[in-house]
Amino acid sequence: MNPSATEYAIDVQKLNKHFGDKHVVNDVSLQVAHGEIFGFLGPNGSGKTTSIRLMCGLLTPDSGTGTCLGYDIIRESAQIKRNVGYMTQRFSYWDDLTIRENLDFIARLYDMPNRRETVDHALESLGLASRADQLTGALSGGWKQRLALAACMLHKPKLLLLDEPTAGVDPTARRDFWEELHRLAAQGISVLVSTHYMDEAERCHKLAYIAYGKLIAQGTAKEVIDSQDLTTWAIHGDRLSELSEQLRTMPGVDQTVVFGSALHASGKDHAALEKAVQQAAAGKDLRIEPIDTGLEDVFIYMMSRSSDNYGMPS
Amino acid sequence: MTTHALFSLPRWWSVVLKEFLQLKRDRITFAMIAVLPIVQLALFGYAINTNPKQLPTAVILGEQSPFSRSFVAAMKNSDYFNIVETLPDETAGRRALAQGQVLFVLNVPADFSRRLLRGEHPSLLLEADATDPTATGSAVAALPGLVQPVVEKDLTGPLAHLNGAPAAFDVQVHSLYNPEAITQYNVVPGLMGVILTMTMVMMTGLAITRERERGTMENLLATPVLPIEVMTGKIVPYVAIGLIQVTIILAAAYFVFHVPFEGSLIAIYLAALLFIAATLTVGITLSSLAQSQLQAMQLTMFYFLPSLLLSGFMFPFAGMPVWARFIGNLLPLTYFNRLIRGILLKGNGWIDLWPSVWPMAVFMVVMMGIALRFYRRTLD
């Protein structure tokens, strides 16, 4: 199949994967369009990494079908590997090779035609040209992450699968990283990126939220927020934790979360929530206001609503 | 995978280069390459000895007579000799010795009975393969004691006058290959295979599990590199290491232990190369079976001990029970021990080496098949 003929860079239906009696990926279907940055969110152990591995042919699904760049994820994993850049969650380059040797090895594995120039160019754009002969193991987390991105980009893949690429990376490096991702997306490269950071989620064109192996919501940030139909009130003042405990027991309050100086109370029943918040705040030195429900409110809500089905017969 | 990719030489070469680079930075491994052979030579070179029985023996019967039959029967009864075949002539006898099929050839001359009856005190000739002096020493020592009962049984009645001193006949023992019975001549070449087995299996045993433990396996699996490219690519640097070790041991054998070099050096290196390759496939197989480096080490020991004990290095092969020889015959070290001793001490040529060459080649192909079968293409 010709990749350009397909509408989506990734198009998978009803993927399932079990490890023993754990149903790690449960009926996951998603589509990533060309040139789209698709954010993959969910708590630890929710099946993000496994889903990504299923999509690039590193794992075989128990059931389900799909294509990645138009190639069948089960039968054509060799072609997928050639055209996809996969950045593993854990740094997976060789610590006992130098930066140049690592890049050179990867370039050779992909049979790159003008290997030397490609590697030199990658080193320069990384800003690592002067440290090319340093052992990779001596690099800091941020540099390792940049090297990993450069290495998985080396063979000019049309699709990037990035598994928590910014975990443990400082804010500046994270910002640079996302700017780079947007530049790549503008060139037509599709990106599937898993993350825990809300600010990163907001930078994605589309999002999917996965918990306990199930895809709970997907779409743009707005669509995801709207899908849960929550109303949220913010309460500013002192002793918010205490108030949070109190609110949680009241009718109409589905969730309370403390964000620094503000307490967010969210609920599906708009009228009941408003009543509860006003009742709780009555006679106290608190400022209350209705606010737009944020992504984080929604994610916490979805997470608490999804049941843990690990270890259950499925 | 239904999409078949072809073996790519550049990709394979990239794996080879990577392994060399990593090896270059692994100082402990490097030290092991040089130190291990020396330590083991010092330890085992001076330490080993035993007393085996039921050694394979061939007879060349120049005549069929009561005396020769009695003597052969006496040899059997002594428990030291196991008569496995009757050979037509001296040439066949030498070949059987050279190929290690038998350790002894008893030659009964054609006119033995006639000369015996005339009172000429003739001799029987026993040719012994003395490459391993411990294997043949006790048996040879038992021989003179076998003459007297034969004489007493068969030289009775009218022949009783022959039954006196000196004995009616004697047995001349002709020690081939290692006439001075120097144990080191046998142990030192044997150590080559032991050292190679240990270092080769251990180092490659860790090769793939290391990638898995460090998380770099996921990266390799995500690239187009094929299992066969990874496996054979990982093997190459160790072939070089193996040959370095062979050279160290040969030098020590020649200059320190003064082991004779009867055969060709090229034959030694070719035999070593084949053995190294066969042993490396074992390591790579264990490596694909093991989940962790620790498991790989345990599997290595599991393989190493039988190799050490049942290959004819530690105890004479011919002296082992049948089941132990069966296991020994499945191990490449058994064949390599025969090859290296054959070349160094017997000066064996290509024809004599062949019976020990093909089993190693078969072993290697089978092992590689198993390794590829168990190499996980996915993370499942």
Side-chain angles (χ1 to χ4, degrees):
Chain A
M1 237 194 287
N2 185 353
S4 58
T6 56
E7 194 182 343
Y8 294 110
I10 299 177
D11 187 1
V12 293
Q13 274 87 36
K14 292 192 171 298
L15 290 185
N16 279 285
K17 184 74 183 176
H18 297 79
F19 290 135
D21 56 0
K22 282 187 179 180
H23 201 163
V24 184
V25 174
N26 189 343
D27 276 345
V28 167
S29 307
L30 60 82
Q31 284 81 35
V32 177
H34 291 290
E36 188 170 82
I37 299 181
F38 192 97
F40 209 32
L41 289 102
N44 290 327
S46 54
K48 299 192 295 287
T49 299
T50 308
S51 302
I52 292 176
R53 286 175 176 173
L54 287 173
M55 289 172 212
C56 65
L58 274 177
L59 287 173
T60 325
D62 297 335
S63 68
T65 56
T67 58
C68 196
L69 294 170
Y71 298 113
D72 189 281
I73 59 165
I74 297 159
R75 294 192 316 272
E76 297 176 298
S77 62
Q79 278 90 332
I80 293 176
K81 286 175 185 180
R82 220 161 282 143
N83 293 293
V84 168
Y86 172 46
M87 182 169 161
T88 54
Q89 185 171 356
R90 181 176 157 192
F91 181 73
S92 63
Y93 290 85
W94 289 265
D95 280 347
D96 49 356
L97 294 184
T98 65
I99 296 158
R100 179 189 294 280
E101 284 162 359
N102 262 311
L103 291 173
D104 193 62
F105 176 55
I106 296 297
R108 282 172 189 272
L109 284 187
Y110 284 98
D111 282 333
M112 305 271 310
N114 36 5
R115 197 182 75 242
R116 222 168 282 270
E117 296 89 274
T118 311
V119 170
D120 283 339
H121 183 256
L123 282 168
E124 254 162 61
S125 56
L126 261 176
L128 280 174
S130 59
R131 298 161 75 184
D133 296 324
Q134 198 177 326
L135 286 187
T136 307
L139 287 176
S140 69
W143 281 110
K144 278 188 178 175
Q145 171 261 351
R146 292 187 68 177
L147 169 65
L149 181 70
C152 76
M153 288 293 305
L154 212 56
H155 62 292
K156 310 212 173 355
K158 300 178 198 77
L159 168 67
L160 283 175
L161 301 173
L162 311 173
D163 196 357
E164 291 184 24
T166 54
V169 172
D170 69 53
T172 323
R174 268 174 54 200
R175 198 191 57 223
D176 293 347
F177 181 81
W178 275 87
E179 277 170 11
E180 174 71 13
L181 281 194
H182 276 275
R183 259 197 304 279
L184 292 170
Q187 292 165 23
I189 292 172
S190 324
V191 181
L192 176 76
V193 53
S194 76
T195 180
H196 284 302
Y197 298 110
M198 286 307 132
D199 60 320
E200 292 186 353
E202 276 154 9
R203 283 165 169 262
C204 296
H205 300 126
K206 282 233 182 90
L207 293 172
Y209 186 84
I210 187 171
Y212 303 114
K214 279 188 196 143
L215 208 59
I216 292 173
Q218 70 170 311
T220 60
K222 188 174 181 313
E223 283 165 359
V224 170
I225 293 169
D226 290 349
S227 71
Q228 299 303 315
D229 190 28
L230 285 179
T231 312
T232 303
W233 284 71
I235 303 157
H236 301 271
D238 294 328
R239 308 178 72 178
L240 291 175
S241 311
E242 229 169 88
L243 187 68
S244 169
E245 293 295 322
Q246 185 196 343
L247 269 171
R248 206 170 292 164
T249 60
M250 296 172 77
V253 182
D254 292 323
Q255 166 179 298
T256 58
V257 185
V258 181
F259 289 99
S261 65
L263 170 70
H264 288 193
S266 309
K268 280 203 187 271
D269 187 335
H270 306 195
L273 176 71
E274 183 172 355
K275 198 175 146 212
V277 170
Q278 275 167 348
Q279 198 181 326
K284 292 180 189 147
D285 184 20
L286 295 169
R287 186 163 57 83
I288 58 170
E289 57 173 337
I291 55 164
D292 289 338
T293 305
L295 259 184
E296 194 151 12
D297 298 307
V298 171
F299 284 144
I300 294 169
Y301 179 77
M302 287 192 287
M303 201 170 132
S304 59
R305 285 300 173 279
S306 54
S307 61
D308 183 350
N309 61 346
Y310 282 4
M312 304 247 295
S314 43
Chain B
M1 276 202 297
T2 50
T3 45
H4 288 288
L6 290 175
F7 188 93
S8 144
L9 210 58
R11 265 202 317 256
W12 173 79
W13 182 238
S14 67
V15 177
V16 173
L17 283 180
K18 164 183 159 292
E19 291 300 317
F20 265 117
L21 284 169
Q22 290 186 292
L23 199 65
K24 199 176 78 186
R25 304 214 166 92
D26 187 351
R27 286 191 197 146
I28 293 181
T29 301
F30 232 73
M32 219 167 71
I33 295 160
V35 173
L36 196 94
I38 295 165
V39 171
Q40 294 215 341
L41 275 172
L43 277 180
F44 295 124
Y46 296 102
I48 295 164
N49 253 314
T50 69
N51 175 22
K53 301 204 166 173
Q54 288 288 329
L55 305 174
T57 305
V59 290
I60 303 167
L61 291 175
E63 59 159 34
Q64 289 284 349
S65 69
F67 304 112
S68 56
R69 277 196 295 276
S70 293
F71 189 75
V72 168
M75 283 173 73
K76 276 189 200 166
N77 290 338
S78 76
D79 210 29
Y80 279 111
F81 302 92
N82 176 21
I83 312 293
V84 290
E85 58 185 328
T86 306
L87 297 172
D89 55 28
E90 184 72 4
T91 326
R94 281 295 170 101
R95 166 122 307 149
L97 281 170
Q99 295 186 351
Q101 288 158 7
V102 295
L103 288 182
F104 298 101
V105 175
L106 177 74
N107 196 340
V108 181
D111 55 354
F112 179 73
S113 302
R114 197 158 46 89
R115 296 182 58 208
L116 178 67
L117 295 177
R118 282 188 197 158
E120 289 175 10
H121 300 284
S123 296
L124 294 172
L125 176 67
L126 184 80
E127 289 185 308
D129 174 351
T131 38
D132 185 354
T134 47
T136 52
S138 313
V140 168
L143 268 179
L146 301 179
V147 174
Q148 202 52 36
V150 173
V151 169
E152 278 165 13
K153 176 173 162 280
D154 288 338
L155 299 181
T156 51
L159 299 174
H161 68 280
L162 294 169
N163 185 353
F169 70 96
D170 63 2
V171 184
Q172 296 278 334
V173 178
H174 188 179
S175 287
L176 297 171
Y177 313 128
N178 183 7
E180 294 107 352
I182 297 170
T183 304
Q184 276 82 20
Y185 286 6
N186 179 54
V187 172
V188 172
L191 266 179
M192 186 186 287
V194 170
I195 291 166
L196 285 175
T197 303
M198 189 156 169
T199 41
M200 296 292 101
V201 174
M202 201 153 67
M203 284 194 273
T204 44
L206 297 178
I208 288 173
T209 42
R210 188 186 296 132
E211 301 273 4
R212 205 173 287 136
E213 272 187 14
R214 291 186 184 172
T216 49
M217 198 62 189
E218 189 177 1
N219 204 336
L220 272 185
L221 287 173
T223 69
V225 72
L226 298 177
I228 183 113
E229 291 161 357
V230 174
M231 294 210 171
T232 54
K234 275 181 170 295
I235 280 177
V236 169
Y238 298 105
V239 172
I241 288 177
L243 291 175
I244 293 171
Q245 290 191 324
V246 167
T247 309
I248 294 175
I249 297 163
L250 281 178
Y254 189 77
F255 294 109
V256 182
F257 294 98
H258 308 291
V259 173
F261 277 51
E262 298 290 340
S264 97
L265 211 54
I266 297 171
I268 295 173
Y269 274 96
L270 286 178
L273 195 63
L274 179 61
F275 176 67
I276 288 166
T279 308
L280 288 173
T281 56
V282 175
I284 223 93
T285 303
L286 296 184
S287 204
S288 14
L289 291 173
Q291 299 290 336
S292 65
Q293 294 199 58
L294 185 67
Q295 270 185 19
M297 288 299 292
Q298 289 166 337
L299 286 171
T300 302
M301 285 321 285
F302 187 71
Y303 172 78
F304 181 67
L305 278 179
S307 287
L308 188 71
L309 299 173
L310 303 180
S311 65
F313 165 72
M314 201 86 121
F315 309 113
F317 193 78
M320 296 194 307
V322 176
W323 62 267
R325 271 180 292 178
F326 176 78
I327 297 172
N329 274 329
L330 297 176
L331 301 168
L333 184 56
T334 305
Y335 299 100
F336 182 68
N337 278 339
R338 286 179 200 162
L339 282 179
I340 192 73
R341 287 170 178 166
I343 299 167
L344 279 179
L345 306 178
K346 302 180 183 178
N348 279 358
W350 302 108
I351 296 169
D352 298 322
L353 299 178
W354 177 244
S356 298
V357 167
W358 69 262
M360 276 209 279
V362 170
F363 178 90
M364 186 174 76
V365 171
V366 171
M367 268 295 158
M368 201 68 206
I370 296 175
L372 285 172
R373 171 74 187 71
F374 283 98
Y375 179 95
R376 272 152 281 197
R377 283 150 213 271
T378 59
L379 289 166
D380 289 273

